[in-house]
Amino acid sequence: HVQLVESGGGSVQAGGSLRLACTASGYTNSNRCMGWFRQVSGKEPEGVAVFDRDGTTEYAESVRGRFTISEGNAKKSLFLQMNSLKPEDTAMYFCVADRSSCNSRLWHHRDLYQFWGQGTQVTVS
């Protein structure tokens, strides 16, 4: 089993930056695809970005060029650097992981990810 814990959320003004972190524990060696989803209350989770162990990344069009996903040491941490934040980026951000490789066409589908963290709130005003 894998546990994911997010941190780094908070409130920021439009144009500002935040860096989210996800720490994985448990049987993390099997994690192949890790990433970030976000959810606004009353709406479905939206894929933000994913990172495959082979270094491949995928981004939602709405964040491309502003957000950067990266992996930490020992493959037990994941980061999301968010720059030029907009009010529409306001959401609960979740770290996700799965043992399968990231799917370049379907990576944004929530059902592909077995493990989810509890989320960290990002508010942009």
Side-chain angles (χ1 to χ4, degrees), residues 1-123:
H1 194 67
V2 174
Q3 295 82 41
L4 304 173
V5 178
E6 303 93 339
S7 61
S11 297
V12 65
Q13 290 188 335
S17 299
L18 283 174
R19 180 175 170 87
L20 303 184
C22 172
T23 301
S25 60
Y27 191 58
T28 60
N29 287 340
S30 61
N31 287 346
R32 179 61 191 267
C33 183
M34 295 186 70
W36 295 92
F37 273 64
R38 65 187 181 186
Q39 185 175 25
V40 176
S41 180
K43 294 188 177 181
E44 287 294 309
E46 172 193 20
V48 176
V50 294
F51 185 102
D52 192 284
R53 281 198 166 183
D54 67 3
T56 303
T57 58
E58 303 286 348
Y59 292 93
E61 196 58 40
S62 59
V63 306
R64 191 184 303 276
R66 300 187 297 123
F67 292 10
T68 303
I69 190 171
S70 61
E71 193 174 43
N73 293 333
K75 305 186 186 303
K76 292 192 174 185
S77 55
L78 186 74
F79 302 99
L80 186 68
Q81 178 66 43
M82 305 186 296
N83 298 329
S84 302
L85 283 161
K86 304 175 181 180
E88 50 263 44
D89 294 318
T90 295
M92 183 72 78
Y93 283 70
F94 296 91
C95 180
V96 301
D98 197 80
R99 296 187 174 97
S100 299
S101 301
C102 294
N103 187 306
S104 61
R105 290 188 303 110
L106 303 176
W107 67 269
H108 53 283
H109 285 231
R110 62 176 296 182
D111 293 339
L112 296 183
Y113 303 93
Q114 181 176 4
F115 305 109
W116 288 68
Q118 293 299 308
T120 185
Q121 178 68 36
V122 171
T123 302

